[in-house]
Amino acid sequence: MRNSLLILLVGLASVGCAVHEFRPDQSSAQVPDYDFEVVESVRYTPDDWPSELAADIYMPEGAGPFPAVLVVHGGGWSGGSRGNMKSHSKALVRAGFVAVNISYRLAPDTQFPGQLHDLQQAMHWIHANAKQYKIDAARIGGFGYSAGAHLVSLLGVMRATDENDQPYGGKQTRLAAVASGGTPADLAAYEESGRLLRQFLGGTRQEMPERYAAASPITHVNAQSPPFFLYHGQWDTLVPIS
């Protein structure tokens, strides 16, 4: 099941950059073509959460349950919106996935690990509402690009022993597969801490090396990490292909 989910996520690969549109006719993957419905602006955060955050739910027609994908937009942790991921979500739902396209809190008003906590809350919400939205809770993957790729990758490699798995993580926040494009995987590798990193993490790499390491997906990779499909493009001017 994990491999099937990963194979279909791979079909969404396109050139990684800060913002891009997925064009289904550019993919060689042979996938189904489901009719679907969209439920917009569904709140997924608890009543006591610092900000009210919403998701758009794309559901294939049929009884289900269907595998699902947590869809996370890019934008340098400080911009972008779930509206940037409409074409990706439509491609996913037509392929037979429930696409849960979320908003999350942005820097500098919210710094790490706030965004990771938002994704964790989204996963808890998906599990709690799986039956209503025809989701197979045992098959939930993640997809994102740029900052969204960073966040969904970080979620994917979290484990119980990681500090930021608590207090909002746990078993329900684990992903079965991850597809991520233009992923800032090692934040400590940047020679200079640019504005986006400083406002996301609250300072420079020299000032807070432990925080940069904690926010880097590569730090947390382990034998239990789910399958990953990583893609990138040389035209990405924000995240070095190295």
Side-chain angles (χ1 to χ4, degrees), residues 37 39-40 42-43 57-60 62-66 98 100 125-137:
E37 63 176 308
V39 183
E40 297 183 331
V42 179
R43 179 172 181 166
I57 317 299
Y58 294 71
M59 292 183 293
F66 299 98
V98 177
V100 182
W125 181 90
I126 290 171
H127 278 269
N129 295 275
K131 185 175 181 179
Q132 178 180 351
Y133 292 100
K134 301 185 290 188
I135 292 171
D136 180 349

Side-chain angles (χ1 to χ4, degrees), residues 43-219:
R43 179 172 181 166
Y44 72 82
T45 47
D47 292 340
D48 60 352
W49 206 242
S51 297
E52 182 176 324
L53 298 172
D56 297 331
I57 317 299
Y58 294 71
M59 292 183 293
E61 289 192 356
F66 299 98
V69 180
L70 179 68
V71 180
V72 186
H73 70 81
W77 304 285
S78 62
S81 73
R82 68 182 189 273
N84 298 137
M85 304 301 282
K86 285 184 178 180
S87 60
H88 300 77
S89 299
K90 289 178 180 178
L92 280 163
V93 71
R94 287 182 178 129
F97 294 92
V98 177
V100 182
N101 181 15
I102 68 166
S103 297
Y104 56 88
R105 289 174 291 167
L106 301 176
D109 292 339
T110 300
Q111 294 177 343
F112 176 81
Q115 294 80 5
L116 175 63
H117 293 165
D118 293 340
L119 268 64
Q120 291 167 333
Q121 289 290 0
M123 289 293 291
H124 287 299
W125 181 90
I126 290 171
H127 278 269
N129 295 275
K131 185 175 181 179
Q132 178 180 351
Y133 292 100
K134 301 185 290 188
I135 292 171
D136 180 349
R139 294 189 292 165
I140 304 173
F143 172 69
Y145 64 89
S146 195
H150 164 266
L151 293 172
V152 79
S153 296
L154 191 61
L155 179 68
V157 295
M158 280 288 106
R159 50 190 169 174
T161 55
D162 290 314
E163 178 182 357
N164 291 312
D165 192 55
Q166 297 300 324
Y168 305 111
K171 185 177 180 180
Q172 288 191 340
T173 64
R174 307 295 183 239
L175 296 171
V178 177
S180 61
T183 311
D186 185 1
L187 304 186
Y190 288 82
E191 290 298 324
E192 298 292 336
S193 301
R195 175 182 60 85
L196 294 177
L197 282 174
R198 292 197 306 271
Q199 63 184 17
F200 173 54
L201 295 173
T204 67
R205 175 173 59 89
Q206 291 75 18
E207 293 169 337
M208 44 184 58
E210 292 182 358
R211 190 172 179 83
Y212 272 65
S216 297
I218 198 170
T219 304

